[in-house]
Amino acid sequence: MKAPEFAYARAATLDDAFRLKAQHGLDSCWLAGGQSLLASLAFRLSEPTALIDISGIAALQGIMLGDGLVRIGAGTTHASLGASHIVRQHAPLIADAIPHIAHTAIRNRGTIGGSLAYADPAAELPACCVALDATFVLASAAGERRVSAREFFHGVYATALSDAELLTAIELPIQKSGEQHSLEEVTRRSGDYAMAGIAAVITCADAGVTDARLVFFALGDRPVVAINAAAALIGHPLDDAEIDRAALALARDLDPPGDLNGNPATKLHLAQVVLRRALAKLINDRARSAA
Ligand code: FAD
Protein backbone atom coordinates (compact mmCIF):
# COMPACT_ATOMS: atom_id res chain seq x y z
CA MET A 1 0.00 0.00 0.00
CA LYS A 2 1.14 3.57 -0.63
CA ALA A 3 0.87 6.51 1.77
CA PRO A 4 -1.94 8.99 1.12
CA GLU A 5 -1.03 12.40 -0.32
CA PHE A 6 0.16 14.97 2.18
CA ALA A 7 1.89 18.35 2.21
CA TYR A 8 5.36 18.61 3.77
CA ALA A 9 6.90 21.54 5.66
CA ARG A 10 10.14 21.74 7.62
CA ALA A 11 10.22 23.83 10.79
CA ALA A 12 13.45 25.61 11.73
CA THR A 13 12.38 26.72 15.22
CA LEU A 14 9.60 26.04 17.71
CA ASP A 15 7.82 29.29 16.72
CA ASP A 16 8.09 28.20 13.11
CA ALA A 17 6.56 24.82 14.02
CA PHE A 18 3.56 26.45 15.72
CA ARG A 19 3.15 28.87 12.79
CA LEU A 20 3.12 25.93 10.35
CA LYS A 21 0.62 24.08 12.57
CA ALA A 22 -1.73 27.08 12.43
CA GLN A 23 -1.23 27.27 8.66
CA HIS A 24 -1.84 23.56 7.92
CA GLY A 25 -4.50 22.97 10.58
CA LEU A 26 -4.96 20.44 13.39
CA ASP A 27 -5.19 17.51 10.93
CA SER A 28 -1.51 18.02 10.14
CA CYS A 29 0.97 16.08 12.24
CA TRP A 30 4.51 16.36 13.58
CA LEU A 31 7.23 14.30 11.90
CA ALA A 32 10.24 13.44 14.08
CA GLY A 33 12.30 10.36 13.15
CA GLY A 34 9.47 8.95 11.02
CA GLN A 35 10.12 5.40 12.26
CA SER A 36 6.54 4.83 13.42
CA LEU A 37 4.70 7.55 11.53
CA LEU A 38 5.84 6.63 8.02
CA ALA A 39 4.87 2.99 8.55
CA SER A 40 1.43 4.05 9.83
CA LEU A 41 0.99 6.24 6.71
CA ALA A 42 1.99 3.39 4.43
CA PHE A 43 -0.66 1.19 6.09
CA ARG A 44 -3.15 4.10 5.90
CA LEU A 45 -3.66 3.93 9.66
CA SER A 46 -3.52 7.74 9.67
CA GLU A 47 -4.08 10.28 6.91
CA PRO A 48 -2.73 13.68 8.00
CA THR A 49 -3.13 16.60 5.61
CA ALA A 50 0.48 17.66 6.15
CA LEU A 51 3.65 16.52 7.90
CA ILE A 52 5.49 19.22 9.82
CA ASP A 53 9.09 18.08 10.12
CA ILE A 54 10.50 18.97 13.55
CA SER A 55 13.78 17.06 13.21
CA GLY A 56 15.82 20.21 12.48
CA ILE A 57 14.72 22.21 15.54
CA ALA A 58 17.79 22.82 17.72
CA ALA A 59 15.65 23.52 20.83
CA LEU A 60 14.43 19.89 20.75
CA GLN A 61 17.95 18.47 20.86
CA GLY A 62 20.39 17.74 23.66
CA ILE A 63 20.82 16.14 27.08
CA MET A 64 21.56 18.42 30.03
CA LEU A 65 22.21 17.94 33.74
CA GLY A 66 21.10 20.49 36.34
CA ASP A 67 18.84 21.13 39.37
CA GLY A 68 18.74 17.42 40.22
CA LEU A 69 17.35 16.57 36.78
CA VAL A 70 18.44 15.10 33.50
CA ARG A 71 16.67 17.18 30.83
CA ILE A 72 16.36 15.47 27.47
CA GLY A 73 15.20 17.29 24.34
CA ALA A 74 12.32 15.41 22.75
CA GLY A 75 14.16 15.23 19.41
CA THR A 76 17.08 13.29 20.91
CA THR A 77 17.52 10.00 19.09
CA HIS A 78 17.57 6.63 20.81
CA ALA A 79 21.20 6.25 19.63
CA SER A 80 22.22 9.55 21.26
CA LEU A 81 20.53 8.50 24.52
CA GLY A 82 22.42 5.21 24.43
CA ALA A 83 25.74 6.99 23.87
CA SER A 84 25.24 9.67 26.56
CA HIS A 85 27.46 9.57 29.67
CA ILE A 86 24.94 11.75 31.49
CA VAL A 87 22.15 9.25 30.83
CA ARG A 88 24.35 6.25 31.74
CA GLN A 89 25.44 7.85 35.02
CA HIS A 90 22.25 9.58 36.19
CA ALA A 91 19.35 7.76 34.48
CA PRO A 92 20.82 4.32 33.82
CA LEU A 93 17.41 2.67 33.39
CA ILE A 94 17.03 4.63 30.13
CA ALA A 95 20.52 3.62 28.99
CA ASP A 96 19.68 -0.04 29.67
CA ALA A 97 16.43 0.22 27.70
CA ILE A 98 17.99 1.50 24.48
CA PRO A 99 19.52 -1.75 23.15
CA HIS A 100 16.06 -3.37 23.46
CA ILE A 101 14.47 -0.82 21.10
CA ALA A 102 14.27 -2.10 17.52
CA HIS A 103 17.54 -2.16 15.54
CA THR A 104 20.50 0.19 15.01
CA ALA A 105 19.06 1.87 11.88
CA ILE A 106 15.79 2.64 13.69
CA ARG A 107 17.59 3.82 16.83
CA ASN A 108 19.66 6.21 14.68
CA ARG A 109 16.53 8.09 13.54
CA GLY A 110 13.81 7.34 16.12
CA THR A 111 13.48 9.87 18.94
CA ILE A 112 12.44 9.71 22.57
CA GLY A 113 9.72 12.30 21.90
CA GLY A 114 8.36 10.23 19.02
CA SER A 115 8.33 7.09 21.13
CA LEU A 116 6.49 8.78 24.03
CA ALA A 117 4.02 10.66 21.80
CA TYR A 118 3.27 7.51 19.79
CA ALA A 119 2.46 5.71 23.08
CA ASP A 120 2.73 2.13 21.90
CA PRO A 121 1.87 0.09 25.04
CA ALA A 122 4.68 -2.37 24.18
CA ALA A 123 7.38 0.35 23.98
CA GLU A 124 10.13 0.51 26.58
CA LEU A 125 10.60 4.26 27.10
CA PRO A 126 7.04 5.09 28.26
CA ALA A 127 7.34 2.49 31.05
CA CYS A 128 10.83 3.71 31.98
CA CYS A 129 9.61 7.30 32.21
CA VAL A 130 6.72 6.28 34.49
CA ALA A 131 9.09 4.22 36.68
CA LEU A 132 11.49 7.19 36.92
CA ASP A 133 8.70 9.66 37.81
CA ALA A 134 9.50 11.75 34.75
CA THR A 135 7.82 15.03 33.87
CA PHE A 136 7.05 15.92 30.26
CA VAL A 137 7.14 19.47 28.91
CA LEU A 138 4.35 20.15 26.40
CA ALA A 139 4.28 23.35 24.36
CA SER A 140 1.99 25.06 21.87
CA ALA A 141 1.55 28.59 20.52
CA ALA A 142 -0.47 29.26 23.70
CA GLY A 143 2.43 28.43 26.06
CA GLU A 144 3.96 25.57 28.02
CA ARG A 145 2.64 23.05 30.57
CA ARG A 146 4.12 20.13 32.49
CA VAL A 147 2.50 16.71 32.80
CA SER A 148 3.75 13.79 34.90
CA ALA A 149 4.53 10.61 32.97
CA ARG A 150 1.88 8.77 35.01
CA GLU A 151 -0.81 11.14 33.73
CA PHE A 152 0.50 11.43 30.18
CA PHE A 153 -0.49 8.00 28.81
CA HIS A 154 -4.24 7.67 28.22
CA GLY A 155 -4.47 4.41 26.26
CA VAL A 156 -3.27 2.68 23.09
CA TYR A 157 -1.65 5.45 20.99
CA ALA A 158 -3.44 8.05 23.15
CA THR A 159 -1.79 10.69 25.34
CA ALA A 160 -2.41 14.00 27.08
CA LEU A 161 -1.03 15.86 24.02
CA SER A 162 -3.55 17.97 22.14
CA ASP A 163 -3.27 18.19 18.35
CA ALA A 164 -1.74 21.67 18.71
CA GLU A 165 0.93 20.60 21.19
CA LEU A 166 4.49 19.38 20.86
CA LEU A 167 6.35 17.36 23.45
CA THR A 168 9.51 19.43 23.82
CA ALA A 169 11.45 17.86 26.71
CA ILE A 170 11.58 15.07 29.25
CA GLU A 171 12.76 15.79 32.80
CA LEU A 172 14.08 12.83 34.79
CA PRO A 173 15.03 13.07 38.49
CA ILE A 174 18.64 11.90 38.79
CA GLN A 175 19.23 8.52 40.39
CA LYS A 176 19.32 8.79 44.19
CA SER A 177 21.61 6.94 46.54
CA GLY A 178 20.23 3.48 47.41
CA GLU A 179 18.17 3.42 44.21
CA GLN A 180 18.58 0.44 41.88
CA HIS A 181 17.00 -0.23 38.53
CA SER A 182 16.27 -3.13 36.22
CA LEU A 183 14.72 -3.58 32.79
CA GLU A 184 13.66 -7.03 31.63
CA GLU A 185 11.56 -8.15 28.70
CA VAL A 186 10.58 -11.22 26.72
CA THR A 187 10.55 -10.94 22.92
CA ARG A 188 10.11 -13.43 20.11
CA ARG A 189 13.23 -12.12 18.32
CA SER A 190 15.87 -9.58 19.25
CA GLY A 191 14.64 -6.09 18.23
CA ASP A 192 10.95 -7.01 18.23
CA TYR A 193 8.49 -5.20 20.44
CA ALA A 194 8.17 -6.93 23.82
CA MET A 195 5.65 -9.69 24.57
CA ALA A 196 5.96 -8.63 28.22
CA GLY A 197 8.35 -6.27 29.97
CA ILE A 198 9.11 -4.45 33.22
CA ALA A 199 10.93 -1.27 34.17
CA ALA A 200 11.71 -1.44 37.88
CA VAL A 201 13.16 1.15 40.25
CA ILE A 202 13.70 0.04 43.84
CA THR A 203 15.19 1.81 46.84
CA CYS A 204 16.68 -0.26 49.65
CA ALA A 205 17.95 0.70 53.10
CA ASP A 206 19.49 -1.64 55.69
CA ALA A 207 16.04 -2.68 56.99
CA GLY A 208 14.74 -3.54 53.54
CA VAL A 209 12.91 -2.07 50.58
CA THR A 210 11.66 1.49 51.19
CA ASP A 211 10.27 2.27 47.73
CA ALA A 212 9.39 0.17 44.70
CA ARG A 213 8.12 1.32 41.31
CA LEU A 214 7.30 -1.66 39.11
CA VAL A 215 5.98 -0.61 35.71
CA PHE A 216 4.95 -3.18 33.12
CA PHE A 217 4.75 -2.79 29.34
CA ALA A 218 2.96 -4.85 26.67
CA LEU A 219 0.53 -5.91 29.41
CA GLY A 220 -2.22 -3.30 29.17
CA ASP A 221 -3.29 -0.32 27.08
CA ARG A 222 -0.52 1.85 28.63
CA PRO A 223 2.35 1.44 31.11
CA VAL A 224 0.84 -0.38 34.12
CA VAL A 225 2.05 0.44 37.64
CA ALA A 226 1.92 -2.68 39.84
CA ILE A 227 0.84 -1.30 43.20
CA ASN A 228 0.15 -4.60 45.01
CA ALA A 229 3.38 -6.26 43.90
CA ALA A 230 5.30 -3.16 45.03
CA ALA A 231 3.49 -3.11 48.39
CA ALA A 232 4.46 -6.77 48.93
CA LEU A 233 8.12 -5.73 48.80
CA ILE A 234 8.06 -2.61 51.00
CA GLY A 235 9.50 -3.05 54.49
CA HIS A 236 11.13 -6.41 53.76
CA PRO A 237 14.65 -7.32 52.71
CA LEU A 238 14.76 -8.23 49.02
CA ASP A 239 15.19 -12.01 48.91
CA ASP A 240 13.73 -15.09 47.19
CA ALA A 241 10.72 -15.24 49.56
CA GLU A 242 9.85 -11.61 48.75
CA ILE A 243 10.12 -12.31 45.03
CA ASP A 244 7.53 -15.10 45.47
CA ARG A 245 5.21 -12.76 47.42
CA ALA A 246 5.49 -10.04 44.79
CA ALA A 247 4.89 -12.46 41.91
CA LEU A 248 1.75 -13.74 43.65
CA ALA A 249 0.47 -10.20 44.31
CA LEU A 250 0.99 -9.29 40.66
CA ALA A 251 -2.20 -11.11 39.67
CA ARG A 252 -4.13 -8.33 41.48
CA ASP A 253 -2.33 -5.60 39.47
CA LEU A 254 -2.57 -6.90 35.93
CA ASP A 255 -5.49 -7.86 33.75
CA PRO A 256 -3.66 -8.28 30.45
CA PRO A 257 -5.72 -8.57 27.30
CA GLY A 258 -4.90 -11.48 25.01
CA ASP A 259 -3.02 -10.54 21.86
CA LEU A 260 -1.01 -12.14 19.06
CA ASN A 261 1.61 -13.09 21.65
CA GLY A 262 -0.65 -15.06 23.95
CA ASN A 263 -3.87 -15.33 25.91
CA PRO A 264 -4.34 -13.43 29.21
CA ALA A 265 -3.03 -16.34 31.31
CA THR A 266 0.14 -16.60 29.20
CA LYS A 267 0.67 -12.85 29.40
CA LEU A 268 0.30 -12.89 33.20
CA HIS A 269 2.77 -15.77 33.39
CA LEU A 270 5.26 -13.78 31.25
CA ALA A 271 4.76 -10.76 33.53
CA GLN A 272 5.69 -12.91 36.53
CA VAL A 273 8.74 -14.20 34.65
CA VAL A 274 10.05 -10.68 33.92
CA LEU A 275 9.27 -9.54 37.47
CA ARG A 276 11.25 -12.45 38.93
CA ARG A 277 14.17 -11.77 36.58
CA ALA A 278 14.18 -8.05 37.38
CA LEU A 279 14.17 -8.61 41.15
CA ALA A 280 16.78 -11.39 40.97
CA LYS A 281 19.04 -8.99 39.04
CA LEU A 282 18.63 -6.38 41.78
CA ILE A 283 19.60 -8.94 44.44
CA ASN A 284 22.68 -9.90 42.41
CA ASP A 285 23.65 -6.26 41.82
CA ARG A 286 23.39 -5.59 45.55
CA ALA A 287 25.47 -8.62 46.45
CA ARG A 288 28.12 -7.61 43.90
CA SER A 289 28.35 -4.03 45.15
CA ALA A 290 28.60 -5.26 48.77
CA ALA A 291 31.43 -7.70 47.92
P1 FAD B 1 7.70 9.51 14.39
O1 FAD B 1 7.51 8.20 13.71
O2 FAD B 1 8.21 10.63 13.57
O3 FAD B 1 6.35 9.97 15.10
C1 FAD B 1 5.55 9.07 15.82
C2 FAD B 1 4.32 9.82 16.34
O4 FAD B 1 4.68 10.74 17.35
C3 FAD B 1 3.62 10.67 15.26
O5 FAD B 1 2.24 10.66 15.54
C4 FAD B 1 4.18 12.07 15.48
O6 FAD B 1 3.29 13.08 15.04
C5 FAD B 1 4.36 12.09 16.99
N1 FAD B 1 5.48 12.91 17.46
C6 FAD B 1 6.79 12.71 17.19
N2 FAD B 1 7.54 13.57 17.89
C7 FAD B 1 6.67 14.32 18.61
C8 FAD B 1 6.85 15.39 19.55
N3 FAD B 1 8.05 15.84 19.90
N4 FAD B 1 5.74 15.94 20.10
C9 FAD B 1 4.49 15.49 19.78
N5 FAD B 1 4.28 14.48 18.90
C10 FAD B 1 5.35 13.91 18.33
N6 FAD B 1 9.93 1.13 19.67
C11 FAD B 1 10.12 0.61 20.89
O7 FAD B 1 9.95 1.33 21.87
N7 FAD B 1 10.52 -0.69 21.06
C12 FAD B 1 10.72 -1.53 20.01
O8 FAD B 1 11.08 -2.69 20.20
C13 FAD B 1 10.51 -1.01 18.70
N8 FAD B 1 10.67 -1.78 17.61
C14 FAD B 1 10.45 -1.25 16.38
C15 FAD B 1 10.62 -2.08 15.27
C16 FAD B 1 10.41 -1.55 14.00
C17 FAD B 1 10.59 -2.46 12.80
C18 FAD B 1 10.05 -0.18 13.83
C19 FAD B 1 9.84 0.42 12.46
C20 FAD B 1 9.88 0.65 14.93
C21 FAD B 1 10.08 0.11 16.21
N9 FAD B 1 9.91 0.90 17.33
C22 FAD B 1 10.11 0.36 18.58
C23 FAD B 1 9.47 2.33 17.21
C24 FAD B 1 10.67 3.30 17.25
O9 FAD B 1 11.19 3.33 18.57
C25 FAD B 1 10.29 4.75 16.89
O10 FAD B 1 11.45 5.47 16.89
C26 FAD B 1 9.39 5.50 17.81
O11 FAD B 1 8.23 4.81 18.13
C27 FAD B 1 8.90 6.81 17.16
O12 FAD B 1 9.91 7.74 17.12
P2 FAD B 1 10.08 8.70 15.85
O13 FAD B 1 10.99 9.80 16.27
O14 FAD B 1 10.48 7.92 14.67
O15 FAD B 1 8.60 9.31 15.68
Side-chain angles (χ1 to χ4, degrees), residues 28-40 46 54 60 74-76 78 100-103 106-107 109-120 122-126 152 161-162 165-169 185 187 191-194:
S28 62
C29 102
W30 310 115
L31 171 67
Q35 299 305 297
S36 296
L37 180 58
L38 296 186
S40 82
S46 60
I54 55 173
L60 296 180
T76 305
H78 304 317
H100 294 281
I101 300 175
H103 308 281
I106 292 163
R107 293 196 291 266
R109 296 203 64 95
T111 64
I112 183 170
S115 177
L116 299 172
Y118 194 59
D120 190 311
E124 289 81 2
L125 293 178
F152 181 79
L161 279 163
S162 75
E165 281 178 317
L166 254 179
L167 173 59
T168 57
E185 66 179 46
T187 55
D192 279 3
Y193 274 106

Side-chain angles (χ1 to χ4, degrees), residues 55-149:
S55 62
I57 300 179
L60 296 180
Q61 299 298 322
I63 301 167
M64 286 185 322
L65 185 64
D67 297 332
L69 296 171
V70 177
R71 191 176 200 277
I72 301 171
T76 305
T77 62
H78 304 317
S80 302
L81 287 172
S84 163
H85 296 300
I86 293 177
V87 172
R88 169 51 63 198
Q89 191 177 346
H90 298 287
L93 178 66
I94 299 283
D96 282 1
I98 299 302
H100 294 281
I101 300 175
H103 308 281
T104 304
I106 292 163
R107 293 196 291 266
N108 284 340
R109 296 203 64 95
T111 64
I112 183 170
S115 177
L116 299 172
Y118 194 59
D120 190 311
E124 289 81 2
L125 293 178
C128 291
C129 285
V130 174
L132 291 170
D133 265 342
T135 300
F136 298 157
V137 185
L138 279 46
S140 68
E144 208 176 77
R145 65 185 177 117
R146 282 177 158 70
V147 177
S148 74

